[in-house]
């Protein structure tokens, strides 16, 4: 049961990637994507898989908040898990 929140978050992100992201790109044009590499949805997914549902979601939300026209851009990987 501990993995259930991670599975639910993964399903939500995959739904966004498969159905909502193409619609948003069609409405916003070719340059309406994420400013970072990896994209925010991939970052969120990877953060949840590495750090768990709670802290991974926090990292993903913070990343989404940084992704705006006046913010930075470029390569921004998920931080490694502290041992």
């Amino acid at each position: 049961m501990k993995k259930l929140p991670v599975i639910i978050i993964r399903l939500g992100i995959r739904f966004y990637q498969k159905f909502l992201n193409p619609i948003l790109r069609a409405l916003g044009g070719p340059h309406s994507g994420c400013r970072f590499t990896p994209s925010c949805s991939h970052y969120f997914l990877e953060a949840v898989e590495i750090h768990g549902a709670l802290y991974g979601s926090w990292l993903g939300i913070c990343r989404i908040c940084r992704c705006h026209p006046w913010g930075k851009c470029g390569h921004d990987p998920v931080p490694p898990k502290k041992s």
Side-chain angles (χ1 to χ4, degrees):
M1 287 303 276
K2 190 175 181 181
K3 295 285 185 176
L4 186 61
V6 173
I7 293 170
I8 292 170
I9 293 169
R10 285 186 70 193
L11 287 173
I13 293 169
R14 293 290 187 196
F15 177 81
Y16 167 81
Q17 289 175 335
K18 184 104 174 149
F19 298 106
L20 298 179
N21 191 30
I23 293 169
L24 293 174
R25 281 198 178 241
L27 293 174
H31 299 293
S32 63
C34 187
R35 302 173 54 84
F36 293 104
T37 304
S39 70
C40 292
S41 61
H42 285 94
Y43 181 96
F44 204 122
L45 185 62
E46 187 177 345
V48 168
E49 289 176 353
I50 291 173
H51 295 285
L54 188 61
Y55 187 60
S57 293
W58 174 251
L59 289 172
I61 290 168
C62 289
R63 166 66 177 275
I64 291 169
C65 290
R66 289 192 313 262
C67 191
H68 55 80
W70 304 281
K72 296 181 180 178
C73 61
H75 186 64
D76 182 28
V78 175
K81 188 172 187 172
K82 296 178 183 175
S83 53

